[in-house]
C-alpha cells in the first residue's frame, strides 16, 4: 500500500462525501507557509480541512514539524495512516486532530475513521492570511473599507494588516471564499 493508493481512495471518498456541495473544492498538494510546506489534500467548504497521508512505507520523522505548520492553518486536520503508524501518530498529534486508518484488505483499500477531528484551537490569523496572494489580500482590505493600503506595500505587511481586521473565524471565512474563487492554483 503506497501513498498514491491511499491518496486515490481518500480523494474518491471525499468526492463522494461532498458531491452534493457545489461550493466545495478539493485541492491536492496545497501549499502553506508561502509554499514551503504542502498538505496532501485540502477540502475547502464550510471550513479549511487538511488531510496528511502517512503510508506504511513512510516514516513519521517529519510529522512533528509538519504538525507545527499545519495546525496554524487548518481549522480541521486529519492524518490518514497505514496500520504500522497508528500508535505513533496518536502519540504525536494533538487530541483534536483526526486519525483515519488505511487498511489493505487484499483487493480493496479501506479507510476507517479512528478519531474524529475537532475544531483546531491553534489557528494563527497571520499564518492563515498568508494562504492568500497579495492581490487577494488587497482586495479583501479594500472591501472591508480600509484606506491607506496599496500594492506598493510588502505582502507580509498586508497579511499582518488583514489578520488584525478579523477574528479567526471571520478571517477563515474570507480566506475560504478567496481560495475557492481561484482559477490558477499553481502560482
Amino acid at each position: 500500500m503506497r501513498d498514491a493508493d491511499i491518496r486515490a481512495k481518500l480523494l474518491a471518498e471525499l468526492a463522494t462525501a461532498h458531491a452534493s456541495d457545489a461550493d466545495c473544492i478539493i485541492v491536492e498538494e496545497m501549499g502553506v507557509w508561502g509554499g514551503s510546506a504542502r498538505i496532501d489534500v485540502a477540502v475547502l467548504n464550510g471550513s479549511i480541512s487538511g488531510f496528511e497521508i502517512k503510508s506504511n512505507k513512510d516514516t513519521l520523522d517529519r510529522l512533528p514539524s509538519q504538525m507545527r505548520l499545519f495546525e496554524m492553518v487548518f481549522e480541521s486536520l486529519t492524518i490518514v495512516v497505514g496500520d504500522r503508524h497508528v500508535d505513533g501518530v496518536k502519540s504525536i498529534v494533538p487530541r483534536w486532530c483526526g486519525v483515519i486508518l488505511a487498511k489493505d484488505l487484499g483487493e480493496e483499500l479501506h479507510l476507517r475513521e479512528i478519531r474524529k477531528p475537532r475544531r483546531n484551537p491553534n489557528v494563527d490569523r497571520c499564518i492563515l492570511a498568508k494562504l492568500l496572494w497579495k492581490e487577494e489580500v488587497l482586495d479583501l482590505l479594500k472591501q472591508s473599507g480600509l484606506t491607506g493600503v496599496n500594492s506598493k506595500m510588502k505582502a507580509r505587511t498586508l497579511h499582518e494588516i488583514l489578520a488584525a481586521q478579523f477574528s479567526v473565524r471571520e478571517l477563515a471565512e474570507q480566506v475560504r471564499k478567496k481560495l475557492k474563487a481561484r482559477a490558477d492554483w499553481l502560482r
Side-chain angles (χ1 to χ4, degrees):
M1 171 177 44
R2 301 168 303 138
D3 180 286
D5 301 322
I6 297 172
R7 181 185 299 257
K9 181 68 172 178
L10 177 63
L11 288 169
E13 288 197 7
L14 289 171
T16 299
H18 299 287
S20 63
D21 184 358
D23 197 35
C24 176
I25 64 169
I26 299 170
V27 181
E28 291 185 71
E29 297 295 327
M30 184 173 129
V32 297
W33 285 78
S36 64
R38 295 192 173 280
I39 190 92
D40 290 315
V41 178
V43 175
L44 308 170
N45 54 4
S47 71
I48 302 171
S49 302
F51 295 83
E52 181 63 19
I53 299 168
K54 297 296 180 190
S55 74
N56 283 340
K57 295 184 182 202
D58 290 323
T59 70
L60 298 181
D61 295 345
R62 290 180 33 229
L63 187 58
S65 61
Q66 288 175 309
M67 284 301 300
R68 282 190 293 277
L69 301 176
F70 295 156
E71 77 177 343
M72 286 192 245
V73 175
F74 293 98
E75 296 171 277
S76 170
L77 185 61
T78 300
I79 311 300
V80 185
V81 302
D83 52 3
R84 181 180 132 201
H85 292 309
V86 171
D87 292 335
V89 163
K90 286 168 89 176
S91 71
I92 292 171
V93 303
R95 297 211 36 83
W96 56 261
C97 186
V99 179
I100 293 176
L101 171 64
K103 186 90 171 151
D104 190 351
L105 300 177
E107 305 223 355
E108 185 181 349
L109 183 65
H110 180 71
L111 300 181
R112 181 173 59 93
E113 188 173 64
I114 292 175
R115 186 165 70 199
K116 191 169 190 64
R118 296 190 309 249
R119 182 169 283 286
N120 173 5
N122 302 316
V123 174
D124 181 291
R125 286 184 298 182
C126 283
I127 304 304
L128 183 60
K130 288 180 182 179
L131 287 176
L132 299 179
W133 297 327
K134 185 176 180 178
E135 307 84 49
E136 294 168 328
V137 173
L138 276 168
D139 186 50
L140 277 176
L141 289 171
K142 288 176 183 173
Q143 285 177 16
S144 70
L146 195 65
T147 59
V149 294
N150 60 63
S151 62
K152 292 181 183 176
M153 298 173 79
K154 291 185 180 199
R156 184 178 79 205
T157 302
L158 293 169
H159 286 118
E160 289 170 359
I161 293 169
L162 179 65
Q165 297 299 308
F166 298 99
S167 71
V168 171
R169 285 186 188 229
E170 292 167 334
L171 180 60
E173 182 179 340
Q174 296 301 321
V175 169
R176 281 192 306 269
K177 286 178 184 176
K178 287 293 184 189
L179 292 176
K180 288 187 223 181
R182 273 189 190 164
D184 178 13
W185 275 88
L186 301 177
R187 272 182 27 187

